[in-house]
């Protein structure tokens, strides 16, 4: 493991957070045709935090490598990460396959070994499947310490990391040596807008394209989605004049 910090930042291409997802005609997933895609908001925060850590610890951070697992178009979110300040990037091209968290974790495990990363910063979840599993699974596969739902990160000169995370009734502070996995919460930072000149410069930065087979990882799904349905429409409420009417209504609904 390197004596300097080598950061790995996974980023995912998802349907834009401003859009309302629609279920496809086969009711097996979300409609992805003709919709806008962008970087997963939690991953955008992870990239921003990696850049902040390097700015605050220039002598300690050796490199920042971004990785995305998805179709060819996922290069777009990698270019954003490169424009923000990542040095290099990798795309694991899986086509339109919906890769489950365990397979994603196994791919990231291989990439960690390839790039000798000792700090992985990633979004706590993707807004498309909301699994919130990949960081924890990856920590288990690697045997690393983990700090989830980070709201503040501080890197010390002795290469220890302090992470604050909000819990019920307060804030918990975790201190760990490297190697470490951090998953980011929304309160950690506010990602900056990427300017066009920076996006143009990002096109000159290295972007490696791999396949899951190149890494020896089987991405075949273990789960089958049978059907996805919209939640039932909420019925309109009823106003009552007094407590007696309220009690009567609750009795009619068999709520009491």
């Amino acid at each position: 493991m390197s004596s300097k910090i080598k950061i790995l930042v996974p980023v995912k291409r998802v349907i834009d957070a401003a859009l309302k997802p629609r279920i496809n005609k086969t009711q097996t997933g979300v409609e992805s045709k003709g919709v806008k895609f962008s970087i997963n908001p939690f991953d955008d925060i992870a990239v921003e935090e990696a850049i902040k850590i390097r700015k605050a610890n220039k002598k300690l951070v050796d490199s920042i490598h971004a990785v995305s697992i998805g179709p060819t178009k996922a290069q777009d979110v990698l270019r954003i990460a490169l424009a923000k300040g990542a040095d290099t990037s990798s795309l694991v091209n899986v086509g339109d396959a919906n890769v489950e968290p365990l397979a994603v974790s196994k791919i990231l495990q291989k990439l960690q070994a390839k790039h000798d990363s000792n700090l992985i910063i990633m979004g706590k979840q993707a807004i498309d499947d909301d699994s919130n599993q990949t960081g924890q699974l990856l920590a288990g596969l690697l045997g690393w310490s983990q700090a989830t739902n980070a709201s503040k990160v501080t890197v010390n000169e002795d290469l220890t990391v302090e992470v604050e995370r909000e819990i019920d009734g307060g804030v918990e502070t975790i201190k760990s040596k490297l190697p470490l996995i951090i998953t980011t919460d929304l309160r950690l930072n506010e990602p900056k807008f990427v300017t066009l000149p920076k996006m143009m410069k990002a096109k000159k930065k290295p972007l490696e394209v791999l396949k899951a087979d190149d890494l020896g990882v089987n991405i075949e799904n273990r789960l089958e989605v049978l059907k996805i349905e919209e939640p039932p429409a909420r019925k309109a409420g009823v106003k009552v004049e007094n407590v007696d009417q309220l009690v009567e209504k609750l009795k009619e609904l068999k709520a009491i």
Side-chain angles (χ1 to χ4, degrees):
M1 195 68 66
S2 173
S3 60
K4 283 198 169 185
I5 301 174
K6 293 185 177 182
I7 305 175
L8 181 69
V9 187
V11 294
K12 187 175 183 181
R13 177 180 180 263
V14 298
I15 293 175
D16 192 88
L19 300 179
K20 180 182 178 181
R22 294 178 290 110
I23 296 174
N24 60 24
K25 292 181 180 179
T26 58
Q27 292 187 299
T28 56
V30 174
E31 182 59 62
S32 59
K33 294 181 179 179
V35 296
K36 180 185 177 183
F37 282 79
S38 59
I39 187 171
N40 179 49
F42 290 101
D43 297 338
D44 200 11
I45 291 169
V47 174
E48 189 72 30
E49 193 63 22
I51 305 306
K52 283 179 62 181
I53 288 172
R54 177 154 66 183
K55 286 182 178 178
N57 306 274
K58 292 180 180 179
K59 294 181 180 179
L60 298 179
V61 178
D62 180 71
S63 62
I64 299 173
H65 184 82
V67 58
S68 188
I69 302 166
T72 302
K73 290 183 178 179
Q75 291 185 30
D76 295 344
V77 297
L78 286 174
R79 294 298 182 197
I80 291 173
L82 291 168
K84 283 177 174 285
D87 304 302
T88 55
S89 63
S90 297
L91 168 65
V92 181
N93 194 331
V94 295
D96 294 325
N98 182 25
V99 186
E100 293 175 350
L102 180 58
V104 171
S105 302
K106 289 180 178 180
I107 291 172
L108 294 176
Q109 180 187 21
K110 297 289 186 180
L111 290 170
Q112 178 279 321
K114 181 177 180 180
H115 294 279
D116 194 28
S117 308
N118 53 9
L119 178 60
I120 299 175
I121 306 176
M122 59 197 303
K124 69 173 184 178
Q125 65 195 74
I127 63 170
D128 51 4
D129 57 19
D130 282 330
S131 293
N132 195 351
Q133 296 176 5
T134 304
Q136 294 88 326
L137 288 168
L138 181 56
L141 291 172
L142 292 170
W144 287 13
S145 301
Q146 59 177 305
T148 58
N149 304 346
S151 59
K152 184 179 179 181
V153 176
T154 304
V155 176
N156 303 315
E157 290 187 4
D158 62 354
L159 295 183
T160 58
V161 183
E162 294 180 30
V163 178
E164 291 185 9
R165 56 198 301 269
E166 295 181 5
I167 58 174
D168 292 340
V171 176
E172 178 183 53
T173 302
I174 299 171
K175 185 176 182 179
S176 173
K177 295 179 181 179
L178 297 178
L180 175 67
I181 292 176
I182 298 172
T183 68
T184 61
D185 203 354
L186 288 173
R187 293 175 182 82
L188 183 56
N189 61 56
E190 187 172 340
K192 295 182 177 64
F193 179 76
V194 181
T195 61
L196 182 58
K198 288 184 177 181
M199 285 297 295
M200 297 301 291
K201 288 181 181 179
K203 291 183 178 182
K204 297 179 181 179
K205 290 187 176 181
L207 196 160
E208 175 188 37
V209 180
L210 303 167
K211 291 186 178 180
D213 290 342
D214 299 333
L215 301 170
V217 178
N218 181 7
I219 61 171
E220 184 179 352
N221 285 348
R222 295 166 178 251
L223 302 175
E224 179 186 359
V225 177
L226 300 178
K227 190 178 183 181
I228 296 178
E229 296 178 311
E230 293 277 2
R234 189 173 179 178
K235 295 180 180 179
V238 178
K239 288 185 178 181
V240 293
E241 299 296 330
N242 51 53
V243 175
D244 292 336
Q245 288 184 15
L246 174 61
V247 172
E248 190 63 33
K249 270 292 179 188
L250 291 173
K251 286 181 178 179
E252 287 179 17
L253 298 170
K254 297 182 180 180
I256 58 174

